[in-house]
């Protein structure tokens, strides 16, 4: 009978038997889980909401020069808001807990001129493409792709060392 119950619960026969004897000794309270494994979190849900509320307006609103959040900046804001200090290397776990993900800014030169980019794409690039093709056949390569039927110069496997004379 215990084997059938264990099978139903997709557990081993030994686990089913152990659970049964724990239940016999201590009732249903003996079957409760041990609880959380590991250290309890330093921040509770309310503090996590405070951190998210502080981060949402952007880094400039917290007094930083740019609107880019870095892990050390987030750690500093977390300490200001909650009084709890985290190493910047561990901050990403907290950000994951509040469903924040890594965002990388698009890299563009500050000197970028959209009008010049458009001109290059419409005028210069088509001319470059035409010059590259120019109707000339490509040069044949002297090397050929290896075929399975070609004879090998050396048998497969480890090469033998040459003996000194």
């Amino acid at each position: 009978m215990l084997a059938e119950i264990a099978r139903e619960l997709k557990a081993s026969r030994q686990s089913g038997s152990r659970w049964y004897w724990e239940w016999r000794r201590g009732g249903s309270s003996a079957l409760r889980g041990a609880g959380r494994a590991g250290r309890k979190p330093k921040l509770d849900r309310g503090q996590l909401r405070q951190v998210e509320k502080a981060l949402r307006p952007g880094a400039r609103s917290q007094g930083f020069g740019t609107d880019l959040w870095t892990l050390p900046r987030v750690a500093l804001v977390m300490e200001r808001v909650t009084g709890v200090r985290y190493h910047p290397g561990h901050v990403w776990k907290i950000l994951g807990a509040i469903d924040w993900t890594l965002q990388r800014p698009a890299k563009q030169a500050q000197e970028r001129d959209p009008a010049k980019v458009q001109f290059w794409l419409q005028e210069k690039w088509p001319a470059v493409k035409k010059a590259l093709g120019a109707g000339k056949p490509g040069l044949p390569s002297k090397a050929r792709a290896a075929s399975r039927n070609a004879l090998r110069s050396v048998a497969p496997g480890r090469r033998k060392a040459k003996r000194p004379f």
Side-chain angles (χ1 to χ4, degrees):
M1 180 166 133
L2 287 176
E4 292 173 19
I5 294 170
R7 204 174 306 117
E8 187 74 26
L9 295 172
K10 293 185 170 57
S12 68
R13 204 169 23 98
Q14 293 87 352
S15 292
S17 180
R18 183 172 36 85
W19 294 336
Y20 172 74
W21 289 109
E22 285 177 17
W23 173 75
R24 287 281 307 248
R25 272 186 258 136
S28 59
S29 63
L31 295 178
R32 285 203 180 94
R36 173 185 184 84
R39 182 186 294 184
K40 292 195 182 340
K42 293 180 182 178
L43 300 176
D44 61 22
R45 289 178 196 248
Q47 289 173 313
L48 286 174
R49 279 193 291 274
Q50 287 177 333
V51 168
E52 186 174 13
K53 189 176 178 183
L55 295 176
R56 194 138 313 267
R60 287 186 196 259
S61 70
Q62 293 292 331
F64 297 107
T66 63
D67 227 2
L68 182 68
W69 281 118
T70 62
L71 294 178
R73 286 181 177 185
V74 174
L76 186 62
V77 170
M78 287 172 61
E79 188 174 358
R80 285 183 197 161
V81 171
T82 64
V84 177
R85 185 178 209 165
Y86 272 96
H87 185 277
H90 296 281
V91 169
W92 66 270
K93 291 180 183 179
I94 304 301
L95 292 174
I98 58 176
D99 291 329
W100 279 49
T101 58
L102 173 67
Q103 303 289 315
R104 289 206 170 108
K107 293 181 182 178
Q108 290 185 351
Q110 290 180 335
E111 304 85 13
R112 183 180 169 117
D113 183 358
K116 288 182 180 178
V117 170
Q118 196 64 28
F119 172 76
W120 194 89
L121 288 174
Q122 290 176 351
E123 304 292 328
K124 296 282 188 181
W125 177 240
V128 170
K129 276 180 62 174
K130 284 181 186 174
L132 289 176
K136 297 178 190 172
L139 296 174
S141 172
K142 291 182 181 178
R144 290 187 305 182
S147 74
R148 291 181 176 208
N149 298 332
L151 295 174
R152 295 182 185 178
S153 60
V154 178
R158 293 183 64 162
R159 294 184 179 177
K160 295 180 182 177
K162 292 183 180 179
R163 293 184 195 158
F165 290 101

